[in-house]
Amino acid sequence: MAASGASMGAPKQFLEIGGVPVLVRSVRAFLAVPRVTAVCVAVRAQERDRLEAQMLEHNLGPRVHMVEGGGNRQQSVGNALTALECDEDDVVLVHDAVRPLIDPATIERTIDAVVKYGAAIVGLPAVDTIKQVERTADGAIVTATIPRERVVHAKTPQGALFGLLRRAFEEADADEFAGTDEASLLERAGIEVAVVAGSARNFKITQPGDIELAEFYLGKDKA
């Protein structure tokens, strides 16, 4: 689980939703899945003590471990893969810590898809019309319209069998290739990636209004 992000005046993963830190909510969702045997959180060195305190405060338990994060998502996930003790066919999922409303059912479906296909991501169908553009000095010019049925918005978790994911990361590292997510590395390695239907609730906390939106969803759950 990648735990990074420092806008909104504080690291986003430590902001609270309904009195519970964003990161803690994300971890709890995975701990609610019996098949998840361990959760590895990649965290910056200067934030390790704070996270350890939260783990104890919220009693996250022995399945949660920490590894030092890197300068970006790819490096952080690479560090976590190096720290894991897995068999080649074990399922490894990567999740943005700042997507706290991920639900156990979606995690279960993603695990099932990885077991069946070897690699999978959570995706949300595109609702708006998608335009391909060419960038210009003044902005952009539309060059094509992409059929919406051929497009999904990539979310997390994203994952693969451990051996496949490790190979994808090793090949990217050897070629000094920087991907935007785990799926981009898997695709580059010639590994097919299945898509699991996601939910609009599984959004990233990126701006102040997102906290209020997350609390709204949680309020609906309690109603």
Side-chain angles (χ1 to χ4, degrees):
M1 186 171 295
S4 63
S7 62
M8 297 165 61
K12 292 173 285 187
Q13 66 271 20
F14 294 121
L15 296 175
E16 293 189 353
I17 297 175
V20 178
V22 166
L23 174 58
V24 171
R25 286 192 178 276
S26 296
V27 171
R28 280 179 173 173
F30 283 82
L31 294 178
V33 178
R35 286 189 289 174
V36 173
T37 59
V39 175
C40 185
V41 182
V43 61
R44 293 180 177 137
Q46 63 268 31
E47 296 167 354
R48 187 182 183 98
D49 290 345
R50 186 175 182 181
L51 178 56
E52 285 181 339
Q54 288 190 348
M55 288 172 57
L56 290 172
E57 178 185 354
H58 293 277
N59 193 28
L60 295 184
R63 281 193 287 166
V64 183
H65 310 275
M66 284 183 290
V67 63
E68 186 166 332
N72 55 42
R73 169 175 169 157
Q74 188 167 319
Q75 292 173 359
S76 294
V77 175
N79 289 352
L81 289 175
T82 300
L84 293 176
E85 296 180 2
C86 292
D87 294 330
E88 294 289 291
D89 291 336
D90 284 343
V91 174
V92 176
L93 301 182
V94 180
H95 186 64
D96 294 322
V98 290
R99 293 185 187 273
L101 298 189
I102 181 64
D103 60 283
T106 300
I107 297 170
E108 291 269 17
R109 291 198 304 273
T110 309
I111 294 173
D112 290 339
V114 171
V115 170
K116 183 174 182 178
Y117 300 104
I121 68 169
V122 173
L124 196 63
V127 176
D128 298 321
T129 299
I130 306 297
K131 299 291 186 181
Q132 180 175 311
V133 301
E134 180 179 328
R135 299 295 178 183
T136 68
D138 297 322
I141 296 176
V142 173
T143 58
T145 298
I146 302 174
R148 282 178 294 186
E149 61 271 19
R150 298 183 59 186
V151 176
V152 296
H153 297 286
K155 309 293 183 182
T156 66
Q158 301 189 1
L161 300 178
F162 176 72
L164 296 179
L165 190 58
R166 181 177 60 184
R167 172 163 68 85
F169 269 78
E170 288 175 346
E171 291 180 5
D173 185 57
D175 296 336
E176 298 183 347
F177 173 79
T180 54
D181 61 2
E182 291 69 48
S184 63
L185 305 190
L186 291 161
E187 296 158 28
R188 182 176 181 274
I191 299 165
E192 290 189 347
V193 181
V195 178
V196 175
S199 164
R201 290 170 52 117
N202 184 25
F203 62 90
K204 260 186 179 182
I205 302 295
T206 58
Q207 53 191 356
D210 292 338
I211 296 293
E212 285 74 17
L213 180 59
E215 290 180 336
F216 168 76
Y217 277 126
L218 291 174
K220 288 184 64 178
D221 291 342
K222 295 175 182 178

